[in-house]
Amino acid sequence: GEALDERLAREFRPRGGSSATTVSTNWSALTLVDDREVEVQVAAERLGLEIGHGCEWELRELDGFVRPLLAAIGHSRTEHDRNPLRPETIGFAVIRAIDAVTDRSEMRKVLEAEFARSLAATMPQTYAAVIALEIEEPKAPGASWGTGRSRRPD
């Protein structure tokens, strides 16, 4: 929950100016990255790839709906990596949830494999359902996604 919220908040923060600008570096702010953080990032990317592999078409279609919404709130149309529903974000949230449940490496690997298998099988239908909802009830840029109604795709 919190890890996903933090990740999404970071994703939607406006990015700084261009990389061509010179900025003085605060060398004291540099820190080493914990090995576990690197493992989490790699596992999340791997899980995201497994999820995304089976739903390429659905992700492309979903991107057609998400990009205009992101553009309406000031994000560049080329920033496809800001889609909050992209597989990498879901993978990161799942890996963080697994970490919260167990600290045993062998158990984490089993859970990661099971979630990868399950999500890879179900996410194409999930993305298709989100697309169907958007087609059925299009959102104007800046509109709330919550309708107060619970809906289930057919």
Side-chain angles (χ1 to χ4, degrees):
E2 286 181 27
L4 179 60
D5 291 342
E6 290 172 17
R7 177 79 174 221
L8 290 176
R10 187 174 63 235
E11 295 284 332
F12 281 105
R13 265 188 236 125
R15 293 188 177 164
S18 73
S19 60
T21 60
T22 57
V23 177
S24 63
T25 303
N26 181 359
W27 294 104
S28 63
L30 294 177
T31 60
L32 295 176
V33 176
D34 182 31
D35 285 345
R36 182 62 196 142
E37 283 302 312
V38 173
E39 289 173 15
V40 165
Q41 197 62 37
V42 168
E45 288 176 14
R46 187 179 328 113
L47 182 56
L49 286 172
E50 288 182 49
I51 293 169
H53 181 71
C55 46
E56 226 176 286
W57 287 104
E58 291 86 357
L59 286 168
R60 285 183 187 171
E61 192 171 354
L62 182 63
D63 192 44
F65 291 110
V66 173
R67 276 187 180 195
L69 292 173
L70 292 175
I73 59 173
H75 295 290
S76 168
R77 294 185 62 79
T78 61
E79 295 184 51
H80 69 279
D81 62 332
R82 293 250 180 152
N83 177 353
L85 300 175
R86 73 185 190 282
E88 295 83 9
T89 304
I90 294 168
F92 183 80
V94 169
I95 296 300
R96 285 295 185 194
I98 290 171
D99 275 355
V101 171
T102 185
D103 59 352
R104 293 177 35 208
S105 176
E106 63 278 357
M107 183 63 79
R108 281 197 301 256
K109 288 181 183 183
V110 168
L111 289 171
E112 288 172 18
E114 286 301 312
F115 274 105
R117 184 185 57 75
S118 297
L119 289 172
T122 60
M123 287 309 290
Q125 294 85 11
T126 303
Y127 286 131
V130 171
I131 293 164
L133 286 174
E134 181 58 25
I135 291 170
E136 181 182 319
E137 187 179 315
K139 299 291 180 208
S144 170
W145 282 88
T147 61
R149 295 182 285 161
S150 174
R151 302 217 260 183
R152 300 184 78 182
D154 294 331

